[in-house]
Amino acid sequence: MGIFAGLSTAYVMGAFAFQAIALGFIGLDARCQARRMLWLLLTLFTGPVGLLVYFLKGRN
Amino acid sequence: MKKSKSVIRSWAVAAAMIMVLAGANLAGAASIPQEVEELRLKYERLYQQYTQALSDAKSSTAAELGKEVELAKRRYEEARKALTPSQKTQEKIKETAETVKNTVDKLFSSGDKNETPTAVASKELPGYSDFKISIDGDNYCGQFAMTSVFNGMGIAKDPQKIYQDTNPAGIFTGPPTIVEYLNMNGIDASQKHNASLGDLTRKIDAGLPVVVLMNSGGGVPHWVNVYGYNTDAEGKVVSLKLRDSYWGTSKGYEMDVERFKTAWNDPVGTKLPNSLLGYSNLMIDIKGTREPAQSPSALNFNFNTAMEDNMSSGINDVVTGFKRIAPMQLAGGITKCVLGIPGTVLGVTAKGINKLGDMTVDWGKSRLDKGGFGNTLLGGTAVVGGSVVKAVGYVAKASGNLLSGVATMAGNFTKKLGYVFAR
Protein backbone atom coordinates (compact mmCIF):
# COMPACT_ATOMS: atom_id res chain seq x y z
CA MET A 1 0.00 0.00 0.00
CA GLY A 2 2.84 2.41 0.79
CA ILE A 3 1.55 5.93 1.34
CA PHE A 4 -1.74 5.07 -0.38
CA ALA A 5 -3.49 4.28 2.90
CA GLY A 6 -2.46 7.65 4.32
CA LEU A 7 -3.44 9.49 1.16
CA SER A 8 -6.86 7.85 0.94
CA THR A 9 -7.57 8.59 4.61
CA ALA A 10 -6.51 12.20 4.17
CA TYR A 11 -8.65 12.46 1.05
CA VAL A 12 -11.78 11.07 2.71
CA MET A 13 -11.30 13.28 5.77
CA GLY A 14 -10.69 16.29 3.52
CA ALA A 15 -13.82 15.49 1.48
CA PHE A 16 -15.98 15.36 4.61
CA ALA A 17 -14.44 18.56 5.96
CA PHE A 18 -14.98 20.35 2.65
CA GLN A 19 -18.63 19.32 2.39
CA ALA A 20 -19.30 20.22 6.03
CA ILE A 21 -17.75 23.67 5.64
CA ALA A 22 -19.44 24.31 2.27
CA LEU A 23 -22.90 23.24 3.46
CA GLY A 24 -22.46 25.06 6.78
CA PHE A 25 -21.43 28.20 4.98
CA ILE A 26 -24.41 28.19 2.60
CA GLY A 27 -26.77 27.25 5.42
CA LEU A 28 -25.68 30.20 7.56
CA ASP A 29 -24.75 32.76 4.91
CA ALA A 30 -26.57 36.07 5.51
CA ARG A 31 -25.97 37.12 1.90
CA CYS A 32 -27.92 34.20 0.44
CA GLN A 33 -30.49 35.69 -1.95
CA ALA A 34 -33.16 32.98 -1.98
CA ARG A 35 -33.81 29.24 -2.35
CA ARG A 36 -31.27 28.30 0.30
CA MET A 37 -32.43 24.67 0.31
CA LEU A 38 -31.85 24.39 -3.43
CA TRP A 39 -28.31 25.73 -3.11
CA LEU A 40 -27.67 23.31 -0.28
CA LEU A 41 -28.86 20.35 -2.35
CA LEU A 42 -26.83 21.48 -5.35
CA THR A 43 -23.69 21.70 -3.23
CA LEU A 44 -24.41 18.37 -1.53
CA PHE A 45 -24.54 16.62 -4.90
CA THR A 46 -21.92 18.56 -6.84
CA GLY A 47 -19.49 19.66 -4.11
CA PRO A 48 -17.02 22.32 -5.25
CA VAL A 49 -18.95 22.99 -8.47
CA GLY A 50 -22.13 23.80 -6.55
CA LEU A 51 -20.23 26.04 -4.15
CA LEU A 52 -18.64 27.91 -7.05
CA VAL A 53 -22.01 28.45 -8.73
CA TYR A 54 -23.43 29.64 -5.40
CA PHE A 55 -20.60 32.19 -5.05
CA LEU A 56 -21.25 33.46 -8.58
CA LYS A 57 -25.03 33.45 -8.69
CA GLY A 58 -26.49 32.87 -5.26
CA ARG A 59 -25.16 35.75 -3.15
CA ASN A 60 -26.22 39.39 -2.87
CA MET B 1 -14.21 -57.71 -12.35
CA LYS B 2 -14.23 -54.17 -13.64
CA LYS B 3 -13.74 -52.88 -10.14
CA SER B 4 -10.84 -55.18 -9.34
CA LYS B 5 -9.16 -54.20 -12.59
CA SER B 6 -9.51 -50.56 -11.66
CA VAL B 7 -8.09 -51.18 -8.20
CA ILE B 8 -5.12 -53.06 -9.68
CA ARG B 9 -4.51 -50.20 -12.09
CA SER B 10 -4.66 -47.60 -9.33
CA TRP B 11 -2.20 -49.58 -7.24
CA ALA B 12 0.09 -50.02 -10.20
CA VAL B 13 0.08 -46.29 -10.96
CA ALA B 14 0.65 -45.44 -7.30
CA ALA B 15 3.48 -47.94 -6.98
CA ALA B 16 5.12 -46.66 -10.14
CA MET B 17 4.80 -43.07 -8.94
CA ILE B 18 6.35 -43.95 -5.58
CA MET B 19 9.24 -45.61 -7.37
CA VAL B 20 9.75 -42.59 -9.61
CA LEU B 21 9.62 -40.19 -6.68
CA ALA B 22 11.99 -42.37 -4.68
CA GLY B 23 14.34 -42.31 -7.62
CA ALA B 24 14.02 -38.57 -7.84
CA ASN B 25 14.89 -38.29 -4.17
CA LEU B 26 17.98 -40.40 -4.69
CA ALA B 27 18.89 -38.17 -7.61
CA GLY B 28 18.93 -35.17 -5.31
CA ALA B 29 15.36 -33.91 -5.67
CA ALA B 30 14.74 -33.92 -1.94
CA SER B 31 11.45 -32.71 -0.49
CA ILE B 32 11.60 -29.37 1.31
CA PRO B 33 13.12 -30.05 4.74
CA GLN B 34 12.22 -28.57 8.08
CA GLU B 35 14.88 -25.86 7.88
CA VAL B 36 13.46 -24.31 4.70
CA GLU B 37 9.94 -24.51 6.07
CA GLU B 38 11.08 -22.64 9.21
CA LEU B 39 12.74 -19.96 7.10
CA ARG B 40 9.55 -19.58 5.07
CA LEU B 41 7.44 -19.25 8.21
CA LYS B 42 9.84 -16.69 9.64
CA TYR B 43 9.68 -14.69 6.42
CA GLU B 44 5.87 -14.78 6.36
CA ARG B 45 5.64 -13.81 10.04
CA LEU B 46 7.98 -10.85 9.58
CA TYR B 47 6.13 -9.76 6.47
CA GLN B 48 2.83 -9.76 8.38
CA GLN B 49 4.40 -7.70 11.17
CA TYR B 50 5.77 -5.34 8.54
CA THR B 51 2.38 -4.84 6.84
CA GLN B 52 0.76 -4.42 10.25
CA ALA B 53 3.31 -1.72 11.15
CA LEU B 54 2.60 -0.02 7.82
CA SER B 55 -1.15 -0.04 8.36
CA ASP B 56 -0.62 1.23 11.92
CA ALA B 57 1.50 4.05 10.43
CA LYS B 58 4.53 3.11 12.59
CA SER B 59 7.04 4.18 9.99
CA SER B 60 10.22 3.66 12.06
CA THR B 61 9.19 0.13 13.08
CA ALA B 62 8.12 -0.57 9.49
CA ALA B 63 11.49 0.60 8.16
CA GLU B 64 13.35 -1.72 10.55
CA LEU B 65 11.03 -4.61 9.82
CA GLY B 66 11.37 -3.95 6.10
CA LYS B 67 15.10 -4.67 6.32
CA GLU B 68 14.48 -7.83 8.36
CA VAL B 69 11.86 -8.99 5.84
CA GLU B 70 14.32 -8.50 2.98
CA LEU B 71 16.98 -10.51 4.83
CA ALA B 72 14.54 -13.29 5.76
CA LYS B 73 13.28 -13.46 2.18
CA ARG B 74 16.83 -13.71 0.81
CA ARG B 75 17.76 -16.47 3.27
CA TYR B 76 14.62 -18.44 2.49
CA GLU B 77 15.10 -18.13 -1.27
CA GLU B 78 18.76 -19.13 -1.03
CA ALA B 79 17.87 -22.20 1.04
CA ARG B 80 15.08 -23.13 -1.33
CA LYS B 81 17.30 -22.64 -4.36
CA ALA B 82 19.93 -24.93 -2.88
CA LEU B 83 17.35 -27.69 -2.54
CA THR B 84 15.42 -27.28 -5.77
CA PRO B 85 16.57 -29.73 -8.44
CA SER B 86 17.76 -28.24 -11.69
CA GLN B 87 15.30 -27.57 -14.51
CA LYS B 88 16.69 -30.53 -16.43
CA THR B 89 16.22 -32.93 -13.51
CA GLN B 90 12.67 -31.66 -12.94
CA GLU B 91 11.78 -32.21 -16.59
CA LYS B 92 13.30 -35.69 -16.54
CA ILE B 93 11.29 -36.65 -13.45
CA LYS B 94 8.10 -35.30 -15.01
CA GLU B 95 8.80 -37.12 -18.26
CA THR B 96 9.51 -40.43 -16.51
CA ALA B 97 6.37 -40.12 -14.39
CA GLU B 98 4.27 -39.45 -17.50
CA THR B 99 5.80 -42.44 -19.33
CA VAL B 100 5.14 -44.78 -16.40
CA LYS B 101 1.57 -43.52 -16.08
CA ASN B 102 0.89 -43.92 -19.80
CA THR B 103 2.38 -47.43 -19.87
CA VAL B 104 0.29 -48.56 -16.90
CA ASP B 105 -2.82 -46.94 -18.42
CA LYS B 106 -2.20 -48.76 -21.72
CA LEU B 107 -1.73 -52.09 -19.96
CA PHE B 108 -5.09 -51.81 -18.20
CA SER B 109 -7.09 -49.84 -20.76
CA SER B 110 -9.11 -52.65 -22.36
CA GLY B 111 -12.77 -51.65 -22.23
CA ASP B 112 -13.82 -49.42 -19.31
CA LYS B 113 -13.30 -46.00 -20.88
CA ASN B 114 -16.23 -44.31 -19.16
CA GLU B 115 -14.92 -44.94 -15.69
CA THR B 116 -14.51 -41.77 -13.57
CA PRO B 117 -10.82 -40.91 -13.20
CA THR B 118 -9.61 -40.98 -9.62
CA ALA B 119 -6.46 -38.94 -10.22
CA VAL B 120 -6.40 -35.18 -9.58
CA ALA B 121 -6.72 -33.25 -12.85
CA SER B 122 -4.86 -30.08 -13.61
CA LYS B 123 -5.35 -27.21 -16.02
CA GLU B 124 -2.53 -24.77 -16.61
CA LEU B 125 -1.80 -22.12 -19.19
CA PRO B 126 1.67 -22.53 -20.69
CA GLY B 127 4.42 -19.95 -20.25
CA TYR B 128 3.41 -18.63 -16.83
CA SER B 129 4.84 -20.85 -14.10
CA ASP B 130 8.56 -20.59 -14.84
CA PHE B 131 8.88 -17.19 -16.49
CA LYS B 132 11.52 -15.10 -14.73
CA ILE B 133 10.29 -11.68 -13.63
CA SER B 134 12.78 -9.34 -12.09
CA ILE B 135 11.54 -6.07 -10.63
CA ASP B 136 13.00 -3.78 -7.99
CA GLY B 137 11.29 -1.54 -5.45
CA ASP B 138 8.38 -1.94 -3.06
CA ASN B 139 4.68 -2.55 -3.68
CA TYR B 140 5.01 -3.81 -7.19
CA CYS B 141 2.42 -6.59 -7.15
CA GLY B 142 0.21 -5.03 -9.84
CA GLN B 143 3.20 -4.55 -12.12
CA PHE B 144 4.41 -8.10 -11.46
CA ALA B 145 0.98 -9.56 -12.29
CA MET B 146 0.77 -7.44 -15.45
CA THR B 147 4.25 -8.55 -16.57
CA SER B 148 3.20 -12.17 -16.10
CA VAL B 149 0.04 -11.61 -18.19
CA PHE B 150 1.88 -9.71 -20.94
CA ASN B 151 4.52 -12.40 -21.22
CA GLY B 152 1.99 -15.24 -21.15
CA MET B 153 0.02 -13.59 -23.96
CA GLY B 154 3.10 -13.11 -26.08
CA ILE B 155 3.72 -9.40 -25.55
CA ALA B 156 7.28 -8.69 -24.47
CA LYS B 157 7.31 -6.16 -21.63
CA ASP B 158 9.99 -4.95 -19.28
CA PRO B 159 8.65 -5.01 -15.71
CA GLN B 160 10.72 -1.96 -14.85
CA LYS B 161 9.07 0.01 -17.65
CA ILE B 162 5.60 -0.99 -16.39
CA TYR B 163 6.66 0.04 -12.90
CA GLN B 164 7.86 3.45 -14.10
CA ASP B 165 4.74 3.97 -16.24
CA THR B 166 2.12 3.01 -13.71
CA ASN B 167 3.48 3.15 -10.19
CA PRO B 168 6.78 5.04 -9.84
CA ALA B 169 5.95 6.00 -6.25
CA GLY B 170 5.44 2.39 -5.15
CA ILE B 171 1.91 2.78 -3.82
CA PHE B 172 -1.19 0.61 -4.28
CA THR B 173 -2.19 0.38 -7.96
CA GLY B 174 -5.94 0.82 -8.38
CA PRO B 175 -7.93 -1.50 -10.68
CA PRO B 176 -8.62 1.25 -13.27
CA THR B 177 -4.86 1.87 -13.59
CA ILE B 178 -4.26 -1.83 -14.30
CA VAL B 179 -7.13 -2.02 -16.82
CA GLU B 180 -6.00 1.18 -18.55
CA TYR B 181 -2.39 0.03 -18.92
CA LEU B 182 -3.42 -3.38 -20.26
CA ASN B 183 -5.78 -1.81 -22.81
CA MET B 184 -3.19 0.70 -23.92
CA ASN B 185 -0.63 -2.05 -24.44
CA GLY B 186 -2.54 -4.59 -26.49
CA ILE B 187 -4.64 -6.55 -23.98
CA ASP B 188 -8.42 -6.26 -23.94
CA ALA B 189 -9.32 -6.01 -20.24
CA SER B 190 -12.09 -4.77 -17.97
CA GLN B 191 -13.04 -4.98 -14.30
CA LYS B 192 -15.47 -7.58 -12.99
CA HIS B 193 -16.93 -7.04 -9.55
CA ASN B 194 -18.18 -9.94 -7.36
CA ALA B 195 -16.81 -12.58 -9.73
CA SER B 196 -17.11 -16.28 -8.91
CA LEU B 197 -14.62 -19.13 -8.95
CA GLY B 198 -16.48 -20.41 -12.02
CA ASP B 199 -15.72 -17.14 -13.83
CA LEU B 200 -12.04 -17.71 -13.13
CA THR B 201 -11.91 -21.33 -14.27
CA ARG B 202 -13.96 -20.57 -17.40
CA LYS B 203 -11.38 -17.94 -18.37
CA ILE B 204 -8.52 -20.37 -17.87
CA ASP B 205 -10.40 -23.07 -19.80
CA ALA B 206 -10.69 -20.54 -22.64
CA GLY B 207 -6.91 -20.10 -22.54
CA LEU B 208 -6.95 -16.67 -20.87
CA PRO B 209 -5.21 -15.64 -17.65
CA VAL B 210 -6.91 -13.68 -14.88
CA VAL B 211 -5.68 -11.03 -12.47
CA VAL B 212 -7.37 -10.89 -9.07
CA LEU B 213 -7.09 -8.71 -5.97
CA MET B 214 -6.38 -10.69 -2.80
CA ASN B 215 -5.61 -10.10 0.86
CA SER B 216 -1.94 -10.88 1.48
CA GLY B 217 -2.43 -10.63 5.25
CA GLY B 218 -3.57 -7.91 7.63
CA GLY B 219 -5.91 -6.37 5.04
CA VAL B 220 -3.14 -5.47 2.59
CA PRO B 221 -4.52 -5.72 -0.97
CA HIS B 222 -2.33 -7.68 -3.35
CA TRP B 223 -2.56 -8.32 -7.12
CA VAL B 224 -2.15 -11.90 -8.28
CA ASN B 225 -2.10 -13.53 -11.70
CA VAL B 226 -4.09 -16.81 -11.79
CA TYR B 227 -3.01 -19.08 -14.65
CA GLY B 228 -4.25 -22.54 -13.71
CA TYR B 229 -6.14 -24.74 -11.28
CA ASN B 230 -6.33 -28.31 -9.97
CA THR B 231 -9.50 -30.34 -9.56
CA ASP B 232 -10.37 -33.46 -7.61
CA ALA B 233 -11.91 -36.61 -9.05
CA GLU B 234 -15.35 -34.97 -9.07
CA GLY B 235 -14.12 -31.94 -11.00
CA LYS B 236 -14.26 -29.64 -7.98
CA VAL B 237 -11.53 -27.00 -7.84
CA VAL B 238 -9.12 -27.83 -5.02
CA SER B 239 -6.32 -25.33 -5.61
CA LEU B 240 -5.27 -22.48 -7.89
CA LYS B 241 -1.98 -21.75 -9.59
CA LEU B 242 -0.67 -18.24 -9.08
CA ARG B 243 2.16 -15.97 -10.10
CA ASP B 244 2.70 -12.94 -7.91
CA SER B 245 5.33 -10.86 -6.18
CA TYR B 246 4.78 -12.45 -2.75
CA TRP B 247 4.00 -16.17 -2.93
CA GLY B 248 4.98 -16.97 -6.51
CA THR B 249 7.99 -14.72 -7.10
CA SER B 250 10.36 -17.08 -8.85
CA LYS B 251 7.87 -19.68 -10.08
CA GLY B 252 4.23 -20.68 -9.89
CA TYR B 253 2.59 -21.21 -6.50
CA GLU B 254 -0.39 -23.40 -5.69
CA MET B 255 -2.90 -22.12 -3.16
CA ASP B 256 -5.65 -24.14 -1.49
CA VAL B 257 -9.06 -23.08 -2.81
CA GLU B 258 -10.51 -22.23 0.62
CA ARG B 259 -7.58 -19.99 1.49
CA PHE B 260 -7.81 -18.40 -1.95
CA LYS B 261 -11.54 -17.72 -1.62
CA THR B 262 -11.13 -16.09 1.80
CA ALA B 263 -8.31 -13.83 0.61
CA TRP B 264 -10.13 -12.99 -2.62
CA ASN B 265 -13.46 -12.25 -0.96
CA ASP B 266 -12.02 -9.69 1.43
CA PRO B 267 -8.87 -8.14 -0.07
CA VAL B 268 -8.81 -5.07 2.15
CA GLY B 269 -9.95 -6.43 5.52
CA THR B 270 -12.29 -4.66 7.90
CA LYS B 271 -9.84 -2.21 9.40
CA LEU B 272 -9.80 1.45 8.38
CA PRO B 273 -8.45 3.03 6.21
CA ASN B 274 -7.98 0.06 3.84
CA SER B 275 -11.61 -0.97 4.27
CA LEU B 276 -12.62 2.29 2.57
CA LEU B 277 -11.85 0.42 -0.64
CA GLY B 278 -14.88 -1.85 -0.78
CA TYR B 279 -13.52 -4.30 -3.34
CA SER B 280 -14.62 -7.92 -3.12
CA ASN B 281 -14.02 -10.84 -5.51
CA LEU B 282 -12.54 -8.41 -7.98
CA MET B 283 -11.16 -9.84 -11.19
CA ILE B 284 -9.50 -8.18 -14.13
CA ASP B 285 -11.36 -9.87 -16.94
CA ILE B 286 -8.97 -10.43 -19.85
CA LYS B 287 -10.71 -11.09 -23.14
CA GLY B 288 -7.70 -11.51 -25.41
CA THR B 289 -5.35 -9.29 -27.34
CA ARG B 290 -6.36 -6.11 -29.16
CA GLU B 291 -4.98 -3.10 -30.98
CA PRO B 292 -3.36 -0.92 -28.30
CA ALA B 293 -5.70 1.94 -27.33
CA GLN B 294 -4.35 5.35 -28.38
CA SER B 295 -5.54 7.11 -25.22
CA PRO B 296 -7.22 6.22 -21.90
CA SER B 297 -10.91 5.38 -22.01
CA ALA B 298 -13.20 7.92 -20.32
CA LEU B 299 -15.47 5.06 -19.17
CA ASN B 300 -12.76 3.11 -17.36
CA PHE B 301 -14.61 2.30 -14.13
CA ASN B 302 -17.12 -0.17 -12.76
CA PHE B 303 -20.41 1.35 -11.58
CA ASN B 304 -20.61 -0.92 -8.51
CA THR B 305 -17.26 0.35 -7.25
CA ALA B 306 -17.21 3.77 -8.94
CA MET B 307 -16.45 5.58 -5.67
CA GLU B 308 -13.48 3.31 -4.91
CA ASP B 309 -12.32 3.44 -8.53
CA ASN B 310 -12.45 7.23 -8.60
CA MET B 311 -10.54 7.53 -5.34
CA SER B 312 -7.85 4.96 -6.22
CA SER B 313 -7.34 6.09 -9.81
CA GLY B 314 -7.45 9.76 -8.77
CA ILE B 315 -4.70 9.21 -6.20
CA ASN B 316 -2.73 7.05 -8.68
CA ASP B 317 -2.97 9.75 -11.39
CA VAL B 318 -1.98 12.57 -9.04
CA VAL B 319 1.04 10.70 -7.65
CA THR B 320 2.16 9.20 -10.99
CA GLY B 321 1.52 12.44 -12.90
CA PHE B 322 3.57 14.36 -10.34
CA LYS B 323 6.40 11.82 -10.29
CA ARG B 324 6.59 11.49 -14.07
CA ILE B 325 6.00 15.20 -14.70
CA ALA B 326 2.94 14.43 -16.83
CA PRO B 327 0.78 17.60 -16.49
CA MET B 328 -2.41 16.24 -18.06
CA GLN B 329 -2.29 13.05 -15.99
CA LEU B 330 -1.81 15.20 -12.89
CA ALA B 331 -4.69 17.46 -13.99
CA GLY B 332 -6.89 14.40 -14.62
CA GLY B 333 -6.10 13.09 -11.14
CA ILE B 334 -6.87 16.44 -9.53
CA THR B 335 -10.15 16.61 -11.48
CA LYS B 336 -11.13 13.16 -10.19
CA CYS B 337 -10.23 14.05 -6.61
CA VAL B 338 -11.97 17.45 -6.58
CA LEU B 339 -15.12 16.47 -8.48
CA GLY B 340 -15.21 13.18 -6.58
CA ILE B 341 -15.71 14.91 -3.21
CA PRO B 342 -19.54 14.63 -3.06
CA GLY B 343 -19.51 11.05 -4.39
CA THR B 344 -16.92 10.01 -1.81
CA VAL B 345 -18.85 11.61 1.05
CA LEU B 346 -22.08 9.94 -0.05
CA GLY B 347 -20.40 6.59 -0.68
CA VAL B 348 -18.57 6.47 2.66
CA THR B 349 -21.71 7.62 4.50
CA ALA B 350 -23.68 4.90 2.70
CA LYS B 351 -21.24 2.29 3.99
CA GLY B 352 -21.88 3.47 7.53
CA ILE B 353 -25.66 3.45 6.96
CA ASN B 354 -25.48 -0.09 5.54
CA LYS B 355 -23.47 -1.28 8.51
CA LEU B 356 -26.00 0.24 10.88
CA GLY B 357 -28.82 -1.46 8.94
CA ASP B 358 -27.02 -4.82 9.11
CA MET B 359 -26.49 -4.48 12.85
CA THR B 360 -30.15 -3.57 13.43
CA VAL B 361 -31.38 -6.52 11.33
CA ASP B 362 -29.02 -8.93 13.13
CA TRP B 363 -30.15 -7.65 16.51
CA GLY B 364 -33.80 -7.99 15.43
CA LYS B 365 -33.22 -11.56 14.27
CA SER B 366 -31.60 -12.49 17.57
CA ARG B 367 -34.66 -11.13 19.41
CA LEU B 368 -37.00 -13.04 17.11
CA ASP B 369 -35.10 -16.26 17.83
CA LYS B 370 -35.75 -15.86 21.55
CA GLY B 371 -39.53 -16.09 21.02
CA GLY B 372 -42.33 -14.56 23.09
CA PHE B 373 -44.65 -11.66 22.24
CA GLY B 374 -42.33 -8.83 23.34
CA ASN B 375 -39.31 -10.24 21.55
CA THR B 376 -41.28 -10.93 18.38
CA LEU B 377 -42.69 -7.39 18.31
CA LEU B 378 -39.32 -5.78 19.07
CA GLY B 379 -37.36 -8.10 16.76
CA GLY B 380 -39.84 -7.70 13.90
CA THR B 381 -39.77 -3.93 14.19
CA ALA B 382 -35.97 -3.95 14.26
CA VAL B 383 -35.76 -6.20 11.18
CA VAL B 384 -38.17 -3.99 9.24
CA GLY B 385 -36.47 -0.80 10.44
CA GLY B 386 -33.01 -2.19 9.68
CA SER B 387 -34.12 -3.18 6.19
CA VAL B 388 -35.40 0.34 5.54
CA VAL B 389 -32.07 1.75 6.77
CA LYS B 390 -30.23 -0.65 4.45
CA ALA B 391 -32.41 0.43 1.51
CA VAL B 392 -31.51 4.06 2.27
CA GLY B 393 -27.86 3.00 2.35
CA TYR B 394 -28.13 1.33 -1.05
CA VAL B 395 -29.72 4.43 -2.58
CA ALA B 396 -26.99 6.62 -1.06
CA LYS B 397 -24.29 4.23 -2.34
CA ALA B 398 -25.78 4.23 -5.85
CA SER B 399 -25.96 8.05 -5.80
CA GLY B 400 -22.35 8.21 -4.60
CA ASN B 401 -21.31 5.85 -7.39
CA LEU B 402 -23.18 7.90 -9.97
CA LEU B 403 -21.48 11.13 -8.85
CA SER B 404 -18.08 9.41 -8.68
CA GLY B 405 -18.62 7.98 -12.15
CA VAL B 406 -19.17 11.48 -13.52
CA ALA B 407 -16.00 12.67 -11.75
CA THR B 408 -14.03 9.72 -13.17
CA MET B 409 -15.26 10.45 -16.69
CA ALA B 410 -14.28 14.12 -16.37
CA GLY B 411 -10.85 13.16 -15.01
CA ASN B 412 -10.22 10.54 -17.69
CA PHE B 413 -11.31 12.99 -20.36
CA THR B 414 -8.83 15.56 -19.04
CA LYS B 415 -6.10 12.91 -19.11
CA LYS B 416 -7.16 11.94 -22.64
CA LEU B 417 -6.55 15.53 -23.80
CA GLY B 418 -2.88 15.06 -22.93
CA TYR B 419 -2.65 12.22 -25.45
CA VAL B 420 -4.56 14.20 -28.10
CA PHE B 421 -2.20 17.18 -27.74
CA ALA B 422 0.85 14.92 -27.73
CA ARG B 423 -0.01 13.55 -31.18
Side-chain angles (χ1 to χ4, degrees), chain B residues 34-50:
Chain B
Q34 188 69 19
E35 193 190 341
V36 180
E37 188 58 18
E38 277 169 9
L39 284 168
R40 186 181 70 83
L41 288 172
K42 187 183 175 189
Y43 167 47
E44 287 196 354
R45 196 186 62 241
L46 281 168
Y47 186 84
Q48 286 214 350
Q49 287 173 0
Y50 170 62

Side-chain angles (χ1 to χ4, degrees), chain B residues 52-174:
Chain B
Q52 188 60 44
L54 277 179
S55 63
D56 292 345
K58 291 177 183 165
S59 51
S60 59
T61 319
E64 277 174 27
L65 278 167
K67 284 175 199 160
E68 283 184 43
V69 168
E70 274 301 312
L71 189 67
K73 185 182 177 187
R74 207 165 47 239
R75 278 187 185 152
Y76 163 59
E77 279 182 347
E78 276 168 7
R80 200 175 61 173
K81 217 177 205 175
L83 283 160
T84 310
S86 70
Q87 186 71 19
K88 214 173 164 187
T89 317
Q90 281 184 28
E91 276 167 15
K92 256 189 177 169
I93 294 164
K94 217 173 166 183
E95 214 172 273
T96 318
E98 279 296 314
T99 316
V100 172
K101 191 178 175 295
N102 289 342
T103 315
V104 176
D105 274 350
K106 267 183 201 162
L107 278 170
F108 293 93
S109 66
S110 52
D112 53 357
K113 290 263 182 200
N114 293 328
E115 202 174 87
T116 317
T118 48
V120 171
S122 177
K123 175 90 189 176
E124 179 180 324
L125 302 178
Y128 287 84
S129 67
D130 293 321
F131 179 63
K132 296 279 168 262
I133 300 170
S134 138
I135 190 165
D136 297 324
D138 288 326
N139 302 296
Y140 44 70
C141 58
Q143 289 63 39
F144 192 101
M146 278 196 274
T147 309
S148 180
V149 168
F150 276 123
N151 170 72
M153 296 188 76
I155 300 170
K157 277 276 167 202
D158 173 22
Q160 277 303 312
K161 171 92 172 71
I162 302 178
Y163 186 70
Q164 289 308 320
D165 285 348
T166 58
N167 190 18
I171 61 172
F172 169 69
T173 313

Side-chain angles (χ1 to χ4, degrees), chain B residues 32 39 81 103 106-107 202 226 247 278-279 326 333 336 396 399:
Chain B
I32 297 171
L39 284 168
K81 217 177 205 175
T103 315
K106 267 183 201 162
L107 278 170
R202 271 192 292 278
V226 184
W247 296 295
Y279 295 120
K336 286 179 192 176
S399 311

Side-chain angles (χ1 to χ4, degrees), chain B residues 137-365:
Chain B
D138 288 326
N139 302 296
Y140 44 70
C141 58
Q143 289 63 39
F144 192 101
M146 278 196 274
T147 309
S148 180
V149 168
F150 276 123
N151 170 72
M153 296 188 76
I155 300 170
K157 277 276 167 202
D158 173 22
Q160 277 303 312
K161 171 92 172 71
I162 302 178
Y163 186 70
Q164 289 308 320
D165 285 348
T166 58
N167 190 18
I171 61 172
F172 169 69
T173 313
T177 308
I178 303 250
V179 169
E180 185 180 288
Y181 195 77
L182 290 174
N183 280 316
M184 290 185 71
N185 287 277
I187 289 179
D188 191 4
S190 62
Q191 270 189 66
K192 194 172 165 72
H193 186 67
N194 279 334
S196 67
L197 201 61
D199 292 328
L200 247 75
T201 53
R202 271 192 292 278
K203 278 279 155 190
I204 292 159
D205 289 344
L208 295 164
V210 173
V211 176
V212 296
L213 189 65
M214 293 174 69
N215 188 339
S216 64
V220 176
H222 177 62
W223 290 106
V224 168
N225 169 215
V226 184
Y227 67 92
Y229 63 91
N230 294 321
T231 51
D232 62 10
E234 290 162 1
K236 221 175 107 190
V237 178
V238 287
S239 60
L240 289 112
K241 299 180 180 194
L242 322 170
R243 269 316 292 274
D244 73 312
S245 60
Y246 179 35
W247 296 295
T249 320
S250 50
K251 60 176 187 167
Y253 174 86
E254 286 186 17
M255 183 180 279
D256 171 69
V257 71
E258 290 309 319
R259 190 179 163 202
F260 176 86
K261 280 204 268 192
T262 311
W264 188 33
N265 184 48
D266 188 17
V268 289
T270 48
K271 247 175 90 179
L272 284 168
N274 292 10
S275 63
L276 288 172
L277 296 172
Y279 295 120
S280 177
N281 287 2
L282 175 71
M283 133 179 164
I284 304 294
D285 185 0
I286 291 163
K287 299 172 190 86
T289 49
R290 57 167 283 175
E291 273 294 304
Q294 296 294 307
S295 61
S297 162
L299 298 169
N300 179 18
F301 65 94
N302 183 316
F303 184 78
N304 292 312
T305 52
M307 185 209 88
E308 289 88 345
D309 288 350
N310 184 64
M311 186 162 74
S312 61
S313 68
I315 292 173
N316 278 163
D317 283 342
V318 168
V319 173
T320 307
F322 180 76
K323 268 263 186 190
R324 295 183 61 219
I325 318 170
M328 291 314 278
Q329 186 173 17
L330 180 64
I334 291 171
T335 306
K336 286 179 192 176
C337 290
V338 172
L339 296 184
I341 287 174
T344 305
V345 170
L346 266 176
V348 173
T349 310
K351 277 186 188 182
I353 295 173
N354 265 331
K355 211 164 205 170
L356 182 73
D358 280 336
M359 280 162 64
T360 314
V361 169
D362 288 345
W363 182 82
K365 279 181 182 165

